[in-house]
């Protein structure tokens, strides 16, 4: 066989191997027949051409010539084998691969979680003005969300969803409707529990994860009933952690108390989502959607959820006792910032909680904490300084007022004795303090 034909046949064989790896079996079969026919017809004075073996079968090898062999025809040089490069599967370890992998999970998460989410409709009596200027009692309605807590009929929602309601209707994902009865409420954490008498198949409790393990940038999925649109799911990320949510007031700037460790997300949350769930990429509860920050009372990419760690502490107490007692120090204060530190002759880098005032008869009063006792001018403003500075609780450093509130909410209970490490007149000392119950809780 001429060198030119040998090269051509080698290329054709290589093509067959590649097409076989790509699954083009029909084309390969035809091409294989053509190659076999072409090779069989090539006979030269040098001897018969190589016999093509069927694909997948190794052809018999010609014995290697030795020095004693005579008239041995020259042996063809073996062509290097060609291994087709396999197609690469999309990466699932980051970038677009992560999005593709999550996309495959979203439908599963919806099927898993949506049966646990309910629509809550409330009716209350309110004064509605008539065109003539008179007024009469007319039923007013409200919409919100909730979720199944256990198989005993308990539904969790926000306190502000059911506050003042004369009637509550709980609508499950399949349309089943049951009247709801309030079991317990806690305005300080904006949580409430409603009980329904529903068939066992309706009660599919949500799975709960620890919000303490959540990290910024992780996937966050909200399910609820925005504007009454039942079974709505939106997807975003955890935008921030450790926010404080004021409650007990009509706006976000002033309140009687704050909820610590709030999760911020950009998953779309709108009116009607309150009381719904914020879950992770495994469909586990990490927070209860509660509020948004927006100039138009609709989603602007800033939503807030009550962390599941607080939910896990409050809800069992609401079920068994109808209320939750929050641990209480009995102080008002602020985070110590450099201008305040300098005004108290402390290093500018010193951090902690400056005690502004102590409530008479409170645990802080009984423990001997001291509030601020003098005024200082900072940037033209008169501020209170001179009080004790709390720098640690039970040995854990406290740098801000929010951090102190968070520690008390997560790690303490009423009646528990804690050790406060304070700075008084620049000197460090420890004070034991037995926590009381927050008034009104």
């Amino acid at each position: 066989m001429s060198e030119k034909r040998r090269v051509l046949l080698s290329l054709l064989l290589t093509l067959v191997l590649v097409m076989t790896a790509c699954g083009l079996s029909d084309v390969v079969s035809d091409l294989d027949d053509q190659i076999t026919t072409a090779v069989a017809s090539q006979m030269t004075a040098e001897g018969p051409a190589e016999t093509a073996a069927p694909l997948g079968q190794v052809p018999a090898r010609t014995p290697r010539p030795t020095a004693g062999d005579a008239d041995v025809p020259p042996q063809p040089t073996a062509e290097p084998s060609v291994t087709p490069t396999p197609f690469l599967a999309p990466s699932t370890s980051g970038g677009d691969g992560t999005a593709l992998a999550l996309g495959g999970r979203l439908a599963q998460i919806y099927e898993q979680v949506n049966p646990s989410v309910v629509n809550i409709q409330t009716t209350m009596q309110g004064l509605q003005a008539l065109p003539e200027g008179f007024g009469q009692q007319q039923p007013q309605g409200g919409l919100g969300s909730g979720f199944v807590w256990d198989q005993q009929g308990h539904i969790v929602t926000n306190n502000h969803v059911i506050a003042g309601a004369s009637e509550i209707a709980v609508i499950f994902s399949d349309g089943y409707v049951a009247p709801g009865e309030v079991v317990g409420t806690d305005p300080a954490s904006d949580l409430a529990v409603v009980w329904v008498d529903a068939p066992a198949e309706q009660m599919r409790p949500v799975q709960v994860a620890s919000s303490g393990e959540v990290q910024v940038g992780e996937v966050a999925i909200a399910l609820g009933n925005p504007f009454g649109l039942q079974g709505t799911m939106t997807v975003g990320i955890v935008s921030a952690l450790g926010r404080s949510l004021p409650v007990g007031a009509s706006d976000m700037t002033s309140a009687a108390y704050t909820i610590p460790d709030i999760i911020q997300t950009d998953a779309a949350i709108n009116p009607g989502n309150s009381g719904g769930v914020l879950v992770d990429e495994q469909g586990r509860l990490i927070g209860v959607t509660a509020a948004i920050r927006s100039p138009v009372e609709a989603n602007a990419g800033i939503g807030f959820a009550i962390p599941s760690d607080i939910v896990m502490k409050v809800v069992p107490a609401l079920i068994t006792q109808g209320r939750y007692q929050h641990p209480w120090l009995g102080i008002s204060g602020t985070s110590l910032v450099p201008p305040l530190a300098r005004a108290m002759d402390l290093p500018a880098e010193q951090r902690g909680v400056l005690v502004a005032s102590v409530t008479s008869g409170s645990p802080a009063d009984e423990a001997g904490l001291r509030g601020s006792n003098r005024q200082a001018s900072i940037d033209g403003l008169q501020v209170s300084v001179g009080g004790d500075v709390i720098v640690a609780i039970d040995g854990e450093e406290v740098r801000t007022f929010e951090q102190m509130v968070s520690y008390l909410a997560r790690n303490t209970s009423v009646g528990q004795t804690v050790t406060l490490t304070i700075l008084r007149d620049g000197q460090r000392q420890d004070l034991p303090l037995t926590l009381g119950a927050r008034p009104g809780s």
Side-chain angles (χ1 to χ4, degrees):
M1 182 189 302
S2 68
E3 184 64 25
K4 182 177 181 181
R5 290 181 180 276
R6 182 179 293 111
V7 172
L8 177 59
L9 289 174
S10 297
L11 291 176
L12 288 173
L13 286 171
T14 300
L15 179 60
V16 168
L17 290 173
V18 173
M19 296 176 72
T20 301
C22 294
L24 302 177
S25 57
D26 293 336
V27 178
V28 168
S29 179
D30 293 340
L31 186 58
D32 183 33
D33 293 339
Q34 295 176 28
I35 294 175
T36 303
T37 301
V39 171
S41 64
Q42 299 301 315
M43 301 293 291
T44 69
E46 299 174 342
E50 299 90 339
T51 302
L55 293 177
Q57 177 180 330
V58 179
R61 294 191 177 184
T62 304
R64 183 187 182 96
T66 64
D69 292 332
D71 299 325
V72 177
Q75 301 300 311
T77 303
E79 296 290 339
S81 62
V82 178
T83 303
T85 302
F87 292 105
L88 297 178
S91 171
T92 58
S93 60
D96 294 339
T98 299
L100 288 173
L102 178 61
R105 280 279 296 150
L106 288 178
Q108 299 176 19
I109 292 172
Y110 186 82
E111 292 298 321
Q112 170 189 335
V113 179
N114 189 55
S116 302
V117 180
V118 300
N119 189 343
I120 295 181
Q121 297 184 2
T122 62
T123 302
M124 58 194 71
Q125 293 293 326
L127 188 65
Q128 184 179 38
L130 297 178
E132 294 81 6
F134 297 94
Q136 68 179 33
Q137 293 294 325
Q138 297 287 345
Q140 306 295 307
L143 294 172
S145 303
F147 58 93
V148 177
W149 180 257
D150 57 28
Q151 293 183 319
Q152 285 69 53
H154 296 112
I155 305 294
V156 176
T157 185
N158 285 139
N159 177 70
H160 74 261
V161 170
I162 53 87
S166 57
E167 295 181 9
I168 300 173
V170 177
I171 306 172
F172 289 81
S173 61
D174 63 356
Y176 181 87
V177 182
E181 175 186 338
V182 176
V183 172
T185 61
D186 181 41
S189 63
D190 195 19
L191 291 172
V193 175
V194 174
W195 180 81
V196 295
D197 185 7
E201 59 267 22
Q202 298 292 341
M203 306 306 297
R204 298 179 57 175
V206 70
Q207 298 179 13
V208 184
S210 172
S211 55
E213 299 177 359
V214 174
Q215 297 182 0
V216 173
E218 292 183 344
V219 173
I221 304 167
L223 284 91
N225 310 287
F227 303 108
L229 299 173
Q230 189 156 342
T232 298
M233 179 173 75
T234 57
V235 183
I237 63 168
V238 174
S239 305
L241 297 170
R243 300 297 193 204
S244 295
L245 180 64
V247 291
S250 58
D251 56 56
M252 298 280 290
T253 59
S254 62
Y257 28 74
T258 60
I259 307 173
D261 292 337
I262 290 293
I263 299 172
Q264 180 182 326
T265 180
D266 67 350
I269 297 174
N270 286 287
N273 270 110
S274 291
V277 300
L278 189 71
V279 300
D280 62 15
E281 59 184 3
Q282 298 182 48
R284 303 175 304 173
L285 180 78
I286 58 174
V288 178
T289 50
I292 60 174
R293 176 68 66 85
S294 172
V296 293
E297 297 185 0
N299 175 59
I302 301 178
F304 302 105
I306 302 164
S308 60
D309 284 357
I310 289 181
V311 177
M312 287 291 291
K313 292 192 69 173
V314 173
V315 168
L318 296 184
I319 292 173
T320 58
Q321 304 171 28
R323 64 192 180 104
Y324 178 77
Q325 291 186 317
H326 292 265
W328 181 58
L329 289 177
I331 67 170
S332 63
T334 187
S335 300
L336 187 69
V337 293
L340 287 174
R342 287 191 289 265
M344 295 178 60
D345 297 323
L346 293 172
E349 63 273 12
Q350 179 64 56
R351 296 293 180 267
V353 175
L354 172 61
V355 179
S357 64
V358 176
T359 302
S360 178
S362 68
D365 187 26
E366 295 178 359
L369 272 178
R370 298 177 185 176
S372 296
N373 53 17
R374 58 188 176 87
Q375 296 288 308
S377 178
I378 298 178
D379 295 332
L381 299 176
Q382 293 296 307
V383 296
S384 297
V385 296
D388 291 336
V389 178
I390 301 172
V391 295
I393 304 178
D394 287 338
E396 182 166 322
E397 183 183 22
V398 171
R399 297 178 60 84
T400 66
F401 190 88
E402 291 76 17
Q403 190 176 359
M404 180 190 72
V405 174
S406 174
Y407 181 88
L408 294 173
R410 286 187 286 107
N411 302 292
T412 67
S413 57
V414 174
Q416 178 179 338
T417 298
V418 298
T419 299
L420 301 182
T421 302
I422 65 170
L423 292 177
R424 178 176 291 171
D425 299 326
Q427 301 299 311
R428 196 180 184 96
Q429 59 179 283
D430 291 336
L431 286 178
L433 180 149
T434 301
L435 297 167
R438 181 188 296 168
S441 66

